[in-house]
Amino acid sequence: MSVAKLPETISFTEDKLDKVAKSLGVTIPKKDANAYQILLSGLEDLAKVIEDEEDYLPYVDLERFPRENVHQPETNEYNAWAYKVTIKSQSAEDAKGLLAGKTMAIKDNVNIAGVPSLLGTDVIEKGSFVPKYDATIVSRVLAAGATIVGKGACENFSMSPSSFTNAYAFVSNPYADGYNAGGSSSGCAALVAAGIVDMAVGGDQGGSIRIPASYCGLVGLKPTYGLVPYTGIASLAFTVDHTGPMTRTVLDNALFLQAIAGADEYDPRQLGLPTPIPAYYDELVKFKDAPAQAAKSFKIGLILESFDMPGLDERVIAKVKEAAKAFETLGVDITVSEISIPMHAKAPAIWSIAARQGFSEHGLRGQNPVNFGVHDKEVPELLANWDQEMFDKLALKNPAATNTLLGGQYIRDSRPGLTSKALNLARKLKDTYNAVFDEYDVLITPCAPTPANYKSKLEDDIMTKMSKAVGTTINTMPFNISGHPAMSLPIALMAPVEDETLKLPIGMQLVGKSFDELKVFKAAFAWEQSIDWKSF
């Protein structure tokens, strides 16, 4: 690498040089120390040029989208709010948009200018990260006429499929107090399920839209990788970052996606994005009077391996298979077949290794020096240097995240090259699913392996806390690393193992070919409109 300039004075001290070398595990020979001090002093001069320059962030039109009444509520429904705010476009044209009249919650890892992002954690001080610009998805819902009424609480660093890791409050399931609302888009799920808001923006790296949707009886869609811009959202790992809609109905989900999907000049995740983007709602609403016709002649495949994963409740297995076979009763020539995809059973391992180092270095330390786009410099500044106090806080609330931090470090230090191989195998996994889509329109798996479980307690040991999450995302994570669109559709109410008197939702996962969300919507709409899931 070339050197841009040599310094006028040496500012890089010998102590600094020793510290840098020690962090790399090397020693600088005495005879070379002065040369490196000169060269690195030049780097410090260049760093000052960048520090002195004004940052270059997307523009926020505060006249068109004013922020009003930013606050943390004194009484918090289901512990689901991180912050309340009212944002509504002042444009008459926006008021005619696709989402006009809809109220919206935004996951608390999504930037809203002027509204603090807590990221669900107390590892960083409350109020230390206040975004200066709106995420692209925020700009789009506002331009489409929606009213944002707050930020839904998320799990600690968005690294939990359970709703008990937020540093400030455990989010409760609206169907049963004290039960898991799912994570990491926990607050959003509770707010939509309770009817407090119409829709919510969720985030999903391993199942964080679909698991809370399954637990709370929602339609939750993880779109195809890159279809919805991720600009302005706290990333966990570039390879698996997704954001998408959480709603109570399939038709609302399609409406929401139509408003937010499409190219964004800032997001490098959007390679291969098709044009034009389908008008999902417009196409789906054509079948409103005969919804079963939306899936006429569809071939649906049940992935056998997905029903043989560890930790699945036998009742969930039976109910998902029953729900899938119900497609054949709709009278529109739908066929449902069991198919084998052996790679599906290996997908959790591929996801775990391919994403772990990214989660550890990017999600938990904010280090992302290699991708273009828009970046929040506050995040890496706050997370660059972990200490024992930070680790202990995180371990108390969310040991899944501290395990990720340790695991990512282990992979980097002891298994160099393994992440690269896992990413190669992710391409193989994607190609394997793609080959099946040559014959089938939609694939089906269970979503969450059980109904929601009861919350853990803060004083529980690590393994007790972790037991609530082990295996939860085993059928959702494969489609984060393959990038295919995947939806949780509510299909039934079922008693949790702790209390036979309760009835909690369970979801069925529908998966489509990349950028073929329309077929997923059509299948889901046909089922939802033909069958009452609460009595199925």
Side-chain angles (χ1 to χ4, degrees):
M1 187 175 186
S2 62
V3 175
K5 70 182 290 285
L6 293 176
E8 294 180 6
T9 60
I10 298 176
S11 59
F12 207 89
T13 65
E14 191 171 341
D15 285 345
K16 281 185 183 178
L17 181 62
D18 287 343
K19 184 178 179 180
V20 170
K22 186 178 180 180
S23 70
L24 285 171
V26 300
T27 300
I28 304 298
K30 285 289 185 185
K31 65 182 180 63
D32 297 331
N34 185 250
Y36 284 118
Q37 285 177 252
I38 294 171
L39 294 168
L40 291 170
S41 293
L43 183 63
E44 282 203 324
D45 288 350
L46 298 173
K48 190 173 188 311
V49 172
I50 301 302
E51 287 171 347
D52 291 345
E53 188 73 15
E54 185 177 350
D55 208 346
Y56 190 55
L57 300 172
Y59 171 69
V60 181
D61 189 340
L62 293 177
E63 289 190 8
R64 182 181 174 191
F65 306 127
R67 280 100 237 264
E68 298 178 353
N69 197 22
V70 178
H71 68 284
Q72 288 191 291
E74 291 182 10
T75 58
N76 198 339
E77 300 148 304
Y78 304 102
N79 292 324
W81 292 110
Y83 271 87
K84 298 292 291 293
V85 63
T86 301
I87 313 174
K88 184 177 182 179
S89 176
Q90 303 303 296
S91 162
E93 282 303 307
D94 293 344
K96 303 172 187 175
L98 280 174
L99 302 180
K102 301 291 188 183
T103 55
M104 185 81 61
I106 307 294
K107 186 178 178 181
D108 189 38
N109 68 338
V110 178
N111 284 7
I112 300 178
V115 182
S117 283
L118 302 177
L119 307 181
T121 192
D122 58 356
V123 167
I124 60 176
E125 186 178 347
K126 185 184 288 189
S128 60
F129 176 36
V130 182
K132 297 180 176 66
Y133 65 97
D134 288 341
T136 298
I137 195 170
V138 168
S139 301
R140 288 185 178 178
V141 300
L142 291 171
T147 299
I148 292 174
V149 294
K151 300 189 82 175
C154 68
E155 295 315 296
N156 212 307
F157 283 109
S158 293
M159 289 188 187
S160 176
S162 299
S163 66
F164 316 135
T165 72
N166 185 287
Y168 302 105
F170 287 173
V171 179
S172 269
N173 192 314
Y175 280 82
D177 184 48
Y179 274 78
N180 192 351
S184 60
S185 306
S186 47
C188 289
L191 292 165
V192 177
I196 296 166
V197 297
D198 296 318
M199 302 173 165
V201 170
D204 195 314
Q205 279 86 6
S208 289
I209 288 172
R210 290 158 290 161
I211 296 301
S214 181
Y215 285 165
C216 292
L218 301 180
V219 180
L221 176 71
K222 180 202 75 65
T224 303
Y225 182 77
L227 178 64
V228 178
Y230 204 82
T231 302
I233 305 176
S235 173
L236 290 189
F238 184 88
T239 51
V240 293
D241 288 332
H242 299 75
T243 185
M246 304 175 75
T247 60
R248 289 188 290 276
T249 69
V250 174
L251 204 56
D252 267 359
N253 211 276
L255 181 73
F256 195 165
L257 187 64
Q258 185 168 321
I260 60 176
D264 168 46
E265 62 179 305
Y266 302 118
D267 192 349
R269 297 169 182 81
Q270 294 193 296
L271 289 174
L273 195 68
T275 54
I277 301 297
Y280 306 104
Y281 175 81
D282 295 347
E283 290 299 315
L284 199 59
V285 78
K286 293 175 182 177
F287 299 96
K288 197 168 185 180
D289 294 331
Q293 292 292 325
K296 182 176 174 60
S297 301
F298 271 23
K299 294 184 68 176
I300 295 175
L302 276 66
I303 302 177
L304 280 171
E305 288 77 9
S306 73
F307 294 90
D308 195 32
M309 294 290 204
L312 262 70
D313 187 319
E314 291 293 335
R315 300 171 303 159
V316 170
I317 292 172
K319 186 56 75 172
V320 171
K321 287 184 176 180
E322 182 185 356
K325 293 300 286 184
F327 275 107
E328 295 184 332
T329 69
L330 302 186
V332 288
D333 195 31
I334 301 174
T335 59
V336 179
S337 308
E338 293 184 339
I339 60 172
S340 178
I341 306 177
M343 269 301 272
H344 183 81
K346 298 178 182 178
I350 295 171
W351 176 91
S352 296
I353 301 301
R356 182 63 60 92
Q357 203 174 339
F359 281 15
S360 177
E361 296 180 20
H362 189 182
L364 289 170
R365 283 182 276 210
Q367 304 306 302
N368 180 30
V370 294
N371 292 312
F372 282 109
V374 182
H375 302 287
D376 296 291
K377 77 181 193 70
E378 295 87 352
V379 176
E381 288 173 346
L382 290 165
L383 296 176
N385 299 302
W386 279 70
D387 58 27
Q388 191 64 48
E389 182 183 2
M390 294 166 72
F391 185 89
D392 290 345
K393 281 183 175 181
L394 187 58
L396 177 65
K397 305 291 175 57
N398 189 10
T402 45
N403 179 56
T404 295
L405 189 64
L406 294 169
Q409 190 73 26
Y410 164 72
I411 293 292
R412 187 180 74 171
D413 292 346
S414 302
R415 301 275 187 145
L418 196 64
T419 297
S420 298
K421 183 176 181 180
L423 288 168
N424 287 338
L425 291 175
R427 288 187 295 103
K428 181 180 179 181
L429 180 67
K430 180 177 181 177
D431 290 345
T432 301
Y433 291 131
N434 284 343
V436 177
F437 284 117
D438 289 341
E439 183 177 356
Y440 290 89
D441 296 288
V442 173
L443 303 179
I444 284 178
T445 79
C447 192
T450 67
N453 48 30
Y454 197 71
K455 68 184 181 184
S456 62
K457 300 185 290 292
L458 201 60
E459 61 269 21
D460 287 342
D461 61 36
I462 284 178
M463 290 311 296
T464 301
K465 290 174 181 175
M466 288 295 293
S467 69
K468 301 287 186 180
V470 171
T472 304
T473 59
I474 205 158
N475 274 316
T476 54
M477 64 173 72
F479 304 105
N480 287 86
I481 199 63
S482 75
H484 292 89
M487 171 191 288
S488 181
L489 179 72
I491 58 165
L493 292 167
M494 186 175 290
V497 294
E498 298 94 344
D499 189 345
E500 286 293 327
T501 67
L502 293 176
K503 296 294 182 184
L504 301 176
I506 62 167
M508 172 171 68
Q509 183 172 231
L510 287 75
V511 183
K513 187 176 182 179
S514 293
F515 299 111
D516 202 357
E517 277 77 3
L518 187 55
K519 277 189 178 176
V520 175
F521 280 133
K522 285 181 174 180
F525 188 63
W527 198 99
E528 174 201 63
Q529 294 296 305
S530 303
I531 298 167
D532 178 7
W533 73 268
K534 289 187 177 181
S535 61
F536 182 73

mmCIF file of all heavy atoms in Angstrom, residues 22 95 108 145 152 154 187 196 219 256 268 299 322 338 361-362 416 499 514 535:
data_model
loop_
_atom_site.group_PDB
_atom_site.id
_atom_site.type_symbol
_atom_site.label_atom_id
_atom_site.label_comp_id
_atom_site.label_asym_id
_atom_site.label_seq_id
_atom_site.Cartn_x
_atom_site.Cartn_y
_atom_site.Cartn_z
ATOM 1 N N LYS A 22 1.924 -4.731 19.962
ATOM 2 C CA LYS A 22 1.509 -5.742 20.939
ATOM 3 C C LYS A 22 0.136 -6.303 20.599
ATOM 4 O O LYS A 22 -0.113 -7.503 20.743
ATOM 5 C CB LYS A 22 1.514 -5.135 22.342
ATOM 6 C CG LYS A 22 1.226 -6.142 23.444
ATOM 7 C CD LYS A 22 1.300 -5.488 24.823
ATOM 8 C CE LYS A 22 1.010 -6.512 25.928
ATOM 9 N NZ LYS A 22 1.074 -5.878 27.284
ATOM 10 N N ALA A 95 -49.870 12.155 1.658
ATOM 11 C CA ALA A 95 -51.097 11.731 2.338
ATOM 12 C C ALA A 95 -51.978 10.848 1.456
ATOM 13 O O ALA A 95 -52.916 10.225 1.954
ATOM 14 C CB ALA A 95 -51.885 12.945 2.797
ATOM 15 N N ASP A 108 -36.033 -0.751 17.082
ATOM 16 C CA ASP A 108 -35.114 0.187 17.714
ATOM 17 C C ASP A 108 -33.655 0.036 17.275
ATOM 18 O O ASP A 108 -32.769 0.608 17.882
ATOM 19 C CB ASP A 108 -35.221 0.081 19.245
ATOM 20 C CG ASP A 108 -34.439 1.182 19.945
ATOM 21 O OD1 ASP A 108 -34.433 2.314 19.435
ATOM 22 O OD2 ASP A 108 -33.819 0.905 20.986
ATOM 23 N N GLY A 145 -47.076 7.842 3.291
ATOM 24 C CA GLY A 145 -48.221 8.325 4.042
ATOM 25 C C GLY A 145 -48.427 7.733 5.419
ATOM 26 O O GLY A 145 -49.390 8.088 6.115
ATOM 27 N N GLY A 152 -40.146 0.315 18.432
ATOM 28 C CA GLY A 152 -40.402 -0.891 19.205
ATOM 29 C C GLY A 152 -39.125 -1.417 19.826
ATOM 30 O O GLY A 152 -38.075 -1.480 19.169
ATOM 31 N N CYS A 154 -36.215 -3.734 21.004
ATOM 32 C CA CYS A 154 -35.621 -4.921 20.386
ATOM 33 C C CYS A 154 -34.742 -5.630 21.409
ATOM 34 O O CYS A 154 -34.454 -5.099 22.481
ATOM 35 C CB CYS A 154 -34.821 -4.568 19.135
ATOM 36 S SG CYS A 154 -33.314 -3.616 19.418
ATOM 37 N N GLY A 187 -40.609 -6.011 20.447
ATOM 38 C CA GLY A 187 -41.547 -4.930 20.689
ATOM 39 C C GLY A 187 -42.466 -4.698 19.503
ATOM 40 O O GLY A 187 -43.668 -4.481 19.669
ATOM 41 N N ILE A 196 -52.020 -2.164 18.688
ATOM 42 C CA ILE A 196 -51.607 -0.814 19.087
ATOM 43 C C ILE A 196 -51.120 -0.026 17.880
ATOM 44 O O ILE A 196 -51.306 1.181 17.792
ATOM 45 C CB ILE A 196 -50.533 -0.902 20.190
ATOM 46 C CG1 ILE A 196 -51.141 -1.555 21.438
ATOM 47 C CG2 ILE A 196 -49.963 0.471 20.521
ATOM 48 C CD1 ILE A 196 -50.120 -1.987 22.461
ATOM 49 N N VAL A 219 -48.240 -12.063 10.399
ATOM 50 C CA VAL A 219 -47.602 -12.332 9.115
ATOM 51 C C VAL A 219 -46.287 -11.560 9.116
ATOM 52 O O VAL A 219 -46.281 -10.322 9.181
ATOM 53 C CB VAL A 219 -48.496 -11.877 7.944
ATOM 54 C CG1 VAL A 219 -47.805 -12.161 6.610
ATOM 55 C CG2 VAL A 219 -49.852 -12.563 8.009
ATOM 56 N N PHE A 256 -47.396 -3.168 2.362
ATOM 57 C CA PHE A 256 -46.203 -2.634 3.023
ATOM 58 C C PHE A 256 -44.972 -2.864 2.146
ATOM 59 O O PHE A 256 -44.194 -1.939 1.881
ATOM 60 C CB PHE A 256 -46.065 -3.337 4.373
ATOM 61 C CG PHE A 256 -45.135 -2.695 5.353
ATOM 62 C CD1 PHE A 256 -45.180 -3.068 6.692
ATOM 63 C CD2 PHE A 256 -44.209 -1.735 4.979
ATOM 64 C CE1 PHE A 256 -44.329 -2.513 7.630
ATOM 65 C CE2 PHE A 256 -43.352 -1.162 5.906
ATOM 66 C CZ PHE A 256 -43.409 -1.556 7.233
ATOM 67 N N PRO A 268 -25.073 -1.489 -0.784
ATOM 68 C CA PRO A 268 -24.353 -2.412 -1.668
ATOM 69 C C PRO A 268 -24.866 -3.844 -1.598
ATOM 70 O O PRO A 268 -24.368 -4.708 -2.321
ATOM 71 C CB PRO A 268 -22.909 -2.323 -1.157
ATOM 72 C CG PRO A 268 -23.035 -1.949 0.282
ATOM 73 C CD PRO A 268 -24.259 -1.081 0.379
ATOM 74 N N LYS A 299 -47.489 -25.877 -7.100
ATOM 75 C CA LYS A 299 -46.851 -27.079 -6.566
ATOM 76 C C LYS A 299 -46.087 -26.672 -5.312
ATOM 77 O O LYS A 299 -45.191 -25.822 -5.375
ATOM 78 C CB LYS A 299 -45.910 -27.712 -7.588
ATOM 79 C CG LYS A 299 -46.613 -28.268 -8.816
ATOM 80 C CD LYS A 299 -45.626 -28.967 -9.738
ATOM 81 C CE LYS A 299 -45.090 -30.246 -9.105
ATOM 82 N NZ LYS A 299 -44.198 -30.988 -10.040
ATOM 83 N N GLU A 322 -50.495 -30.666 8.609
ATOM 84 C CA GLU A 322 -51.936 -30.587 8.380
ATOM 85 C C GLU A 322 -52.290 -29.286 7.648
ATOM 86 O O GLU A 322 -53.115 -29.280 6.719
ATOM 87 C CB GLU A 322 -52.670 -30.658 9.720
ATOM 88 C CG GLU A 322 -54.194 -30.637 9.598
ATOM 89 C CD GLU A 322 -54.883 -30.575 10.954
ATOM 90 O OE1 GLU A 322 -54.183 -30.632 12.003
ATOM 91 O OE2 GLU A 322 -56.119 -30.450 10.968
ATOM 92 N N GLU A 338 -44.044 -34.130 -0.256
ATOM 93 C CA GLU A 338 -42.855 -34.135 0.597
ATOM 94 C C GLU A 338 -41.620 -34.286 -0.280
ATOM 95 O O GLU A 338 -41.595 -35.117 -1.195
ATOM 96 C CB GLU A 338 -42.938 -35.278 1.608
ATOM 97 C CG GLU A 338 -44.050 -35.097 2.631
ATOM 98 C CD GLU A 338 -44.049 -36.188 3.681
ATOM 99 O OE1 GLU A 338 -43.477 -37.271 3.423
ATOM 100 O OE2 GLU A 338 -44.614 -35.956 4.774
ATOM 101 N N GLU A 361 -17.504 -9.184 15.096
ATOM 102 C CA GLU A 361 -16.676 -8.026 14.776
ATOM 103 C C GLU A 361 -17.493 -6.829 14.301
ATOM 104 O O GLU A 361 -17.155 -5.683 14.581
ATOM 105 C CB GLU A 361 -15.643 -8.413 13.721
ATOM 106 C CG GLU A 361 -14.659 -9.456 14.224
ATOM 107 C CD GLU A 361 -13.621 -9.859 13.191
ATOM 108 O OE1 GLU A 361 -13.408 -9.101 12.233
ATOM 109 O OE2 GLU A 361 -13.028 -10.938 13.352
ATOM 110 N N HIS A 362 -18.568 -7.109 13.583
ATOM 111 C CA HIS A 362 -19.371 -6.031 13.025
ATOM 112 C C HIS A 362 -20.514 -5.665 13.965
ATOM 113 O O HIS A 362 -20.649 -4.524 14.383
ATOM 114 C CB HIS A 362 -19.915 -6.475 11.654
ATOM 115 C CG HIS A 362 -20.584 -5.392 10.881
ATOM 116 N ND1 HIS A 362 -21.164 -5.598 9.657
ATOM 117 C CD2 HIS A 362 -20.792 -4.089 11.157
ATOM 118 C CE1 HIS A 362 -21.686 -4.484 9.216
ATOM 119 N NE2 HIS A 362 -21.487 -3.547 10.103
ATOM 120 N N PRO A 416 -8.828 -19.791 10.956
ATOM 121 C CA PRO A 416 -8.772 -18.873 9.811
ATOM 122 C C PRO A 416 -9.117 -19.612 8.516
ATOM 123 O O PRO A 416 -8.682 -20.721 8.281
ATOM 124 C CB PRO A 416 -7.324 -18.388 9.815
ATOM 125 C CG PRO A 416 -6.557 -19.430 10.571
ATOM 126 C CD PRO A 416 -7.504 -19.963 11.594
ATOM 127 N N ASP A 499 -48.500 -24.663 30.475
ATOM 128 C CA ASP A 499 -49.858 -24.344 30.902
ATOM 129 C C ASP A 499 -50.856 -24.759 29.831
ATOM 130 O O ASP A 499 -51.015 -24.085 28.813
ATOM 131 C CB ASP A 499 -49.971 -22.839 31.178
ATOM 132 C CG ASP A 499 -51.291 -22.453 31.827
ATOM 133 O OD1 ASP A 499 -52.236 -23.270 31.808
ATOM 134 O OD2 ASP A 499 -51.377 -21.334 32.355
ATOM 135 N N SER A 514 -35.824 -16.640 -5.046
ATOM 136 C CA SER A 514 -35.312 -15.282 -4.857
ATOM 137 C C SER A 514 -36.079 -14.280 -5.717
ATOM 138 O O SER A 514 -36.300 -14.510 -6.909
ATOM 139 C CB SER A 514 -33.828 -15.220 -5.208
ATOM 140 O OG SER A 514 -33.066 -15.963 -4.279
ATOM 141 N N SER A 535 -59.102 -21.189 14.684
ATOM 142 C CA SER A 535 -59.894 -22.383 15.026
ATOM 143 C C SER A 535 -59.431 -23.610 14.249
ATOM 144 O O SER A 535 -60.057 -24.656 14.300
ATOM 145 C CB SER A 535 -61.380 -22.126 14.730
ATOM 146 O OG SER A 535 -61.592 -21.840 13.354
#
